Amino acid sequence: MKGVEMPEINWDELKDLAIEAMKTAYAPYSGYPVGASALVDDGRLVSGCNVENASTGLGTCAENGLVSMLHRTGGGRLVAFYCVNGNGDVIVPCGRCRQLLYEHGGPNLLVTMPSGIMRMDEVLPQGFGPADLALVATSQITIDTPYALRESDAEKEKKDK
């Protein structure tokens, strides 16, 4: 990402988009609609909502829809994330979704939490990622580090200082 400026984060815009997404959630079983939005490193905004299913385990979280939209619209790295419930209140991503966000935003992803904005490596300390799969000598998996987990040029320069 040499020479590319990180987009400015408009938290109010992210909140509004998360609320808009929440209003389209399909939650007839739990009655708990969720909406999520995120800013991508190229300035795009992506969003998602939860979609339940009568077979409970087949439902998807809002974060799943958001990551699907991320890849459907060109991929990239999530840099800021916002998630709300049916009241528009900030909520904590579940453990599964924290893993998903870590893989697509990396440790520097900024996440709104009820207590304030936190980095992903604070929300998910010692997060498990694709690089961990390659650490096992018997693994049949060869992993090229996903874009979101690679250090940006700015991060490399900061580390070298």
Side-chain angles (χ1 to χ4, degrees):
M1 293 185 36
K2 196 170 200 155
V4 176
E5 294 277 328
M6 291 305 271
E8 186 172 323
I9 300 167
N10 182 333
W11 293 103
D12 290 332
E13 183 177 31
L14 285 174
K15 179 181 181 180
D16 291 344
L17 184 57
I19 290 171
E20 180 183 315
M22 175 272 297
K23 290 178 180 177
T24 65
Y26 178 71
Y29 306 105
S30 71
Y32 193 81
V34 175
S37 66
L39 174 66
V40 183
D41 59 355
D42 64 5
R44 281 177 297 132
L45 296 176
V46 293
S47 62
C49 63
N50 61 321
V51 177
E52 296 179 349
N53 188 282
S55 176
T56 307
L58 295 180
T60 61
C61 295
E63 294 87 342
N64 291 87
L66 181 148
V67 168
S68 181
M69 183 178 184
L70 169 71
H71 288 283
R72 186 179 59 78
T73 61
R77 180 194 310 228
L78 301 175
V79 296
F81 174 81
Y82 210 107
C83 193
V84 299
N85 64 16
N87 295 328
D89 299 326
V90 173
I91 57 173
V92 176
C94 70
R96 178 178 180 264
C97 289
R98 291 178 196 205
Q99 281 291 152
L100 189 65
L101 291 170
Y102 180 83
E103 182 149 342
H104 299 280
N108 297 318
L109 171 62
L110 298 176
V111 179
T112 53
M113 299 288 279
S115 61
I117 297 167
M118 298 175 70
R119 285 172 34 120
M120 192 68 227
D121 60 2
E122 296 172 309
V123 175
L124 183 67
Q126 300 179 9
F128 181 85
D132 294 298
L133 296 173
L135 296 177
V136 178
T138 58
S139 177
Q140 300 296 310
I141 301 170
T142 306
I143 300 289
D144 180 30
T145 304
Y147 173 78
L149 295 178
R150 294 180 189 155
E151 283 185 310
S152 67
D153 290 338
E155 291 166 331
K156 287 177 188 172
E157 288 174 17
K158 187 176 179 181
K159 192 185 215 182
D160 292 340
K161 288 183 180 182

